[in-house]
Protein backbone atom coordinates (compact mmCIF):
# COMPACT_ATOMS: atom_id res chain seq x y z
CA UNK A 1 0.00 0.00 0.00
CA UNK A 2 2.83 2.38 0.86
CA UNK A 3 4.57 1.75 -2.49
CA UNK A 4 1.35 2.47 -4.39
CA UNK A 5 0.80 5.68 -2.43
CA UNK A 6 4.40 6.77 -3.08
CA UNK A 7 3.97 6.17 -6.82
CA UNK A 8 0.66 8.07 -6.87
CA UNK A 9 2.22 10.98 -4.98
CA UNK A 10 5.12 11.05 -7.45
CA UNK A 11 2.72 11.13 -10.40
CA UNK A 12 0.68 13.91 -8.79
CA UNK A 13 3.86 15.89 -8.16
CA UNK A 14 5.00 15.59 -11.78
CA UNK A 15 1.52 16.46 -13.08
CA UNK A 16 1.44 19.49 -10.78
CA UNK A 17 4.70 20.76 -12.25
CA UNK A 18 3.35 20.24 -15.79
CA UNK A 19 0.08 22.04 -14.98
CA UNK A 20 1.95 24.92 -13.33
CA UNK A 21 4.12 25.29 -16.43
CA UNK A 22 1.00 25.31 -18.64
CA UNK A 23 -0.66 28.00 -16.52
CA UNK A 24 2.47 30.13 -16.51
CA UNK A 25 2.87 29.72 -20.28
CA UNK A 26 -0.71 30.98 -20.77
CA UNK A 27 0.41 34.42 -19.64
CA UNK A 28 -1.06 37.01 -17.32
CA UNK A 29 -2.71 39.08 -20.04
CA UNK A 30 -4.64 36.13 -21.44
CA UNK A 31 -5.85 35.17 -17.97
CA UNK A 32 -6.86 38.76 -17.09
CA UNK A 33 -8.73 39.18 -20.40
CA UNK A 34 -10.55 35.91 -19.82
CA UNK A 35 -9.15 34.24 -22.93
CA UNK A 36 -7.74 31.32 -20.94
CA UNK A 37 -10.69 30.84 -18.61
CA UNK A 38 -11.31 27.25 -19.65
CA UNK A 39 -7.70 26.25 -19.16
CA UNK A 40 -7.39 27.88 -15.76
CA UNK A 41 -10.78 26.58 -14.61
CA UNK A 42 -9.80 23.04 -15.59
CA UNK A 43 -6.60 23.28 -13.59
CA UNK A 44 -8.50 24.73 -10.62
CA UNK A 45 -10.86 21.74 -10.61
CA UNK A 46 -7.89 19.38 -10.82
CA UNK A 47 -6.29 21.25 -7.90
CA UNK A 48 -9.52 20.89 -5.88
CA UNK A 49 -9.58 17.17 -6.67
CA UNK A 50 -5.96 16.74 -5.56
CA UNK A 51 -6.66 18.71 -2.38
CA UNK A 52 -9.72 16.57 -1.62
CA UNK A 53 -7.79 13.34 -2.22
CA UNK A 54 -4.90 14.52 -0.07
CA UNK A 55 -7.21 15.45 2.79
CA UNK A 56 -9.07 12.14 2.45
CA UNK A 57 -5.84 10.13 2.64
CA UNK A 58 -4.62 12.13 5.63
CA UNK A 59 -7.90 11.65 7.49
CA UNK A 60 -8.12 7.93 6.67
CA UNK A 61 -4.55 7.10 7.68
CA UNK A 62 -4.69 9.35 10.75
CA UNK A 63 -7.90 7.77 11.99
CA UNK A 64 -6.52 4.28 11.28
CA UNK A 65 -3.42 5.15 13.31
CA UNK A 66 -5.42 6.69 16.17
CA UNK A 67 -7.97 3.85 16.46
CA UNK A 68 -5.26 1.18 16.47
CA UNK A 69 -3.77 2.35 19.79
CA UNK A 70 -5.80 3.28 22.87
CA UNK A 71 -3.07 5.56 24.27
CA UNK A 72 -2.98 7.54 21.03
CA UNK A 73 -6.76 7.80 21.13
CA UNK A 74 -6.71 9.15 24.69
CA UNK A 75 -4.01 11.65 23.79
CA UNK A 76 -5.89 12.77 20.68
CA UNK A 77 -9.16 13.14 22.56
CA UNK A 78 -7.41 15.22 25.24
CA UNK A 79 -5.97 17.51 22.56
CA UNK A 80 -9.30 17.88 20.77
CA UNK A 81 -11.08 18.51 24.08
CA UNK A 82 -8.62 21.22 25.12
CA UNK A 83 -8.91 22.85 21.69
CA UNK A 84 -12.73 22.77 21.88
CA UNK A 85 -12.65 24.21 25.42
CA UNK A 86 -10.36 27.02 24.31
CA UNK A 87 -12.63 27.71 21.32
CA UNK A 88 -15.69 27.89 23.60
CA UNK A 89 -13.86 30.22 26.00
CA UNK A 90 -12.95 32.49 23.09
CA UNK A 91 -16.49 32.47 21.71
CA UNK A 92 -18.42 32.99 24.94
CA UNK A 93 -15.82 34.85 26.99
CA UNK A 94 -13.97 37.20 24.68
CA UNK A 95 -15.76 37.64 21.34
CA UNK A 96 -18.25 40.45 20.94
CA UNK A 97 -20.78 40.40 18.13
CA UNK A 98 -21.82 43.60 16.43
CA UNK A 99 -23.88 44.01 13.27
CA UNK A 100 -21.83 45.91 10.68
CA UNK A 101 -22.63 47.43 7.31
CA UNK A 102 -19.94 46.54 4.80
CA UNK A 103 -18.60 48.77 2.00
CA UNK A 104 -20.72 47.06 -0.64
CA UNK A 105 -23.90 47.65 1.39
CA UNK A 106 -24.22 44.09 2.68
CA UNK A 107 -24.80 43.49 6.37
CA UNK A 108 -22.36 41.44 8.41
CA UNK A 109 -24.52 39.81 11.06
CA UNK A 110 -23.91 39.86 14.78
CA UNK A 111 -23.40 36.08 14.85
CA UNK A 112 -20.88 36.21 12.01
CA UNK A 113 -19.02 39.03 13.71
CA UNK A 114 -18.88 37.10 16.98
CA UNK A 115 -17.68 33.95 15.20
CA UNK A 116 -14.99 35.91 13.37
CA UNK A 117 -13.86 37.54 16.62
CA UNK A 118 -13.74 34.18 18.37
CA UNK A 119 -11.64 32.77 15.54
CA UNK A 120 -9.20 35.66 15.84
CA UNK A 121 -8.94 35.28 19.62
CA UNK A 122 -8.44 31.52 19.20
CA UNK A 123 -5.65 32.17 16.68
CA UNK A 124 -3.97 34.62 19.06
CA UNK A 125 -4.20 32.21 22.00
CA UNK A 126 -2.81 29.31 19.95
CA UNK A 127 0.00 31.55 18.67
CA UNK A 128 0.82 32.60 22.23
CA UNK A 129 0.73 28.98 23.47
CA UNK A 130 2.97 27.75 20.62
CA UNK A 131 5.45 30.60 21.08
CA UNK A 132 5.50 30.15 24.83
CA UNK A 133 6.07 26.42 24.63
CA UNK A 134 8.89 26.83 22.09
CA UNK A 135 10.50 29.46 24.30
CA UNK A 136 10.05 27.36 27.44
CA UNK A 137 11.49 24.17 25.97
CA UNK A 138 14.28 26.10 24.22
CA UNK A 139 15.37 27.68 27.50
CA UNK A 140 14.99 24.35 29.30
CA UNK A 141 17.23 22.67 26.70
CA UNK A 142 19.84 25.45 26.99
CA UNK A 143 19.94 25.07 30.78
CA UNK A 144 20.60 21.31 30.51
Amino acid sequence: MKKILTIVLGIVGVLSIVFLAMIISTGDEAIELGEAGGTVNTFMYIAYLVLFLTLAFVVIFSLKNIFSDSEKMKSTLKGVGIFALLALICYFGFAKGEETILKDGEIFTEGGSKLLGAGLYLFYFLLFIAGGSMLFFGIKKMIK
Side-chain angles (χ1 to χ4, degrees), residues 88 90-99 108-121:
L88 289 172
C90 290
Y91 185 79
F92 291 111
F94 292 102
K96 309 241 183 309
E98 186 174 302
E99 196 169 278
F108 193 50
T109 64
E110 182 179 343
S113 174
K114 189 169 185 175
L115 192 59
L116 179 65
L120 287 171
Y121 279 116

Side-chain angles (χ1 to χ4, degrees), residues 66-135:
I66 289 169
F67 287 130
S68 66
D69 186 10
S70 64
E71 286 300 314
K72 287 181 185 176
M73 178 160 329
K74 287 178 189 176
S75 176
T76 301
L77 289 175
K78 283 181 192 175
V80 169
I82 291 170
F83 180 80
L85 179 66
L86 186 60
L88 289 172
I89 290 170
C90 290
Y91 185 79
F92 291 111
F94 292 102
K96 309 241 183 309
E98 186 174 302
E99 196 169 278
T100 307
I101 298 175
L102 303 175
K103 290 181 181 178
D104 62 355
E106 296 285 324
I107 296 176
F108 193 50
T109 64
E110 182 179 343
S113 174
K114 189 169 185 175
L115 192 59
L116 179 65
L120 287 171
Y121 279 116
L122 182 61
F123 172 76
Y124 298 144
F125 281 129
L126 291 174
L127 184 68
F128 179 74
I129 291 168
S133 65
M134 285 189 292
L135 186 64

Side-chain angles (χ1 to χ4, degrees), residues 128-143:
F128 179 74
I129 291 168
S133 65
M134 285 189 292
L135 186 64
F136 173 76
F137 288 113
I139 292 172
K140 185 177 175 183
K141 188 176 181 181
M142 285 176 31
I143 291 173

